[in-house]
Amino acid sequence: MSKRTIVTMPGDGIGKAVLDETLRVLEAAGFDAEYVEGDIGWEFWKSEGNPLPQRTIDLLEKHKIALFGAITSKPKDEAFEELAPELKDKGLVYSSPIVGLRQHFNLEICARPCKTYKGNPLNFIRRGQGNEIEEPEIDVVIFRQNTEGLYGGVEWSNPEDKVYETFMSHPKFKKNFGHVPKEEISISTRIFSKERTYNILKAAFDYARKYGYKSVTLAEKPNVIRETSGMMYKMALQMQKNDYPEIELWNTNIDAQMMWLTKNPENYGVIVAGNMFGDIVSDGFAGLIGGLGFACSAQWSLDGVAVFEPTHGSAPKYADYETSIVNPIAMIESACMMLDFIEEKEISDKIRKAVAEVIAEGKVRTYDMMKMRGTADVVKKGAASTKEMADAIIAKL
Ligand code: NAI
Ligand code: MG
């Protein structure tokens, strides 16, 4: 069989450091692939006026699978300021390349696992009945609709007349906002389509079945957001009844879910939600298993284009340290999700086992695991660098 080709997109800031170390881990684990690098991020915005050049899209079109580090995004004015002088009069407007990728390839399914590693000093703990300390073992995977809803970009401030009139034809808009001057109104919509709602629900149930989770929890708010959350809930009920009778469907409201996740996080398995609530609930769970240094994610389209990335951003304040100090585990875990996706489960199991051993042993810890502030001298103070953490994992392999 010919070697698989993986597109690597380091992006900005710490993206490159964590991706480089992850590639070393993949190699040490025996994953044999060719890598082609895709240009993405701030550098390409500044020099070409496009943070997601067409050549990168073409690469992903061809090879389908990508590992992505992180990108930097800056507000509109700053983005314009940093544009190369010869591009300044071209009317270019910055937009996030990661959102661009999601839209271009319809990467509608986003999965974010949050699993406790024994011995991680950042694990969530609580007190039990006898006042003893309990450390619940969390094994949750959040399925987040990745392209619609509140992040769908259908928004207005001071909407044009025909939009405003359409809204005014809704009795509740008229009653609650009819007295507000049009110029003072901002509207962001939350649009769900049946097809994509079905797809994210199905992805969640399929995953629960494949990996033996006993429940799928819908974390929305159908009692208040009746049309979108309501539709999703109805579809989930139907789907469970018809196709997944062996899996329980739980329905929680997103606000209550954020409370429950610190009371009994071990009770949840697969969680499914729309775009924004999925984003929120996945950050919530990530906080219980170590935060951004551990939060990995995958996003894919139903026709097989998939991008694997840590949840964290480019952490620009750490990007220029001579020795990189950030935790590579979120990126390494994201690469494990890639391996699962391309049916290389043996290799991903091996890597996860090595990561688990390093964490359990507790000798090698990055600054975040030592609850230090991320200053440039943390390595001198005993924290492992990005590379040292990867070395420790490789040694276990
Ligand atoms: P961030 O995730 O880059 O960093 C926030 C803080 O989290 C860091 O200062 C650091 O203390 C900690 N942190 C992040 N990654 C870590 C790691 N691997 N190990 C240990 N600690 C880690 O988020 P921030 O500061 O809000 O955004 C910085 C830039 O990243 C912005 O330009 C933002 O737009 C972009 N961003 C990009 C994302 C992406 O590429 N998918 C996601 C989030 C933010
Ligand atoms: Mg987020």
Side-chain angles (χ1 to χ4, degrees), residues 151-170:
Y151 299 166
V154 184
E155 315 186 276
W156 303 267
S157 283
N158 187 13
E160 58 193 276
D161 288 343
K162 64 174 189 252
V163 172
Y164 180 74
E165 279 152 29
T166 306
F167 275 99
M168 279 297 268
S169 71
H170 193 294

Side-chain angles (χ1 to χ4, degrees), residues 125-246:
I125 55 172
R126 68 181 173 221
R127 292 218 178 261
Q129 273 188 332
N131 210 29
E132 75 285 9
I133 288 177
E134 292 179 345
E135 190 173 310
E137 217 173 294
I138 299 155
D139 180 2
V140 164
V141 186
I142 293 98
F143 277 78
R144 161 193 177 193
Q145 207 296 327
N146 211 26
T147 48
E148 302 192 329
L150 204 46
Y151 299 166
V154 184
E155 315 186 276
W156 303 267
S157 283
N158 187 13
E160 58 193 276
D161 288 343
K162 64 174 189 252
V163 172
Y164 180 74
E165 279 152 29
T166 306
F167 275 99
M168 279 297 268
S169 71
H170 193 294
K172 288 218 170 125
F173 186 92
K174 192 158 183 206
K175 178 161 175 270
N176 294 326
F177 303 101
H179 64 286
V180 182
K182 189 167 78 74
E183 312 76 62
E184 291 181 20
I185 285 186
S186 289
I187 300 170
S188 301
T189 63
R190 187 178 198 265
I191 304 173
F192 282 28
S193 73
K194 232 179 185 160
E195 184 189 343
R196 290 186 184 170
T197 302
Y198 177 91
N199 291 344
I200 191 71
L201 288 169
K202 182 168 185 314
F205 275 110
D206 281 345
Y207 189 92
R209 174 172 285 165
K210 182 168 175 189
Y211 293 104
Y213 289 89
K214 70 176 197 311
S215 65
V216 169
T217 303
L218 177 71
E220 280 280 325
K221 188 103 181 169
N223 57 337
V224 176
I225 317 176
R226 291 171 188 277
E227 300 306 326
T228 46
S229 292
M231 176 179 83
M232 197 166 187
Y233 180 45
K234 257 195 264 170
M235 290 174 74
L237 280 172
Q238 185 107 51
M239 189 177 283
Q240 188 274 339
K241 188 163 152 246
N242 293 344
D243 304 324
Y244 303 90
E246 83 281 15

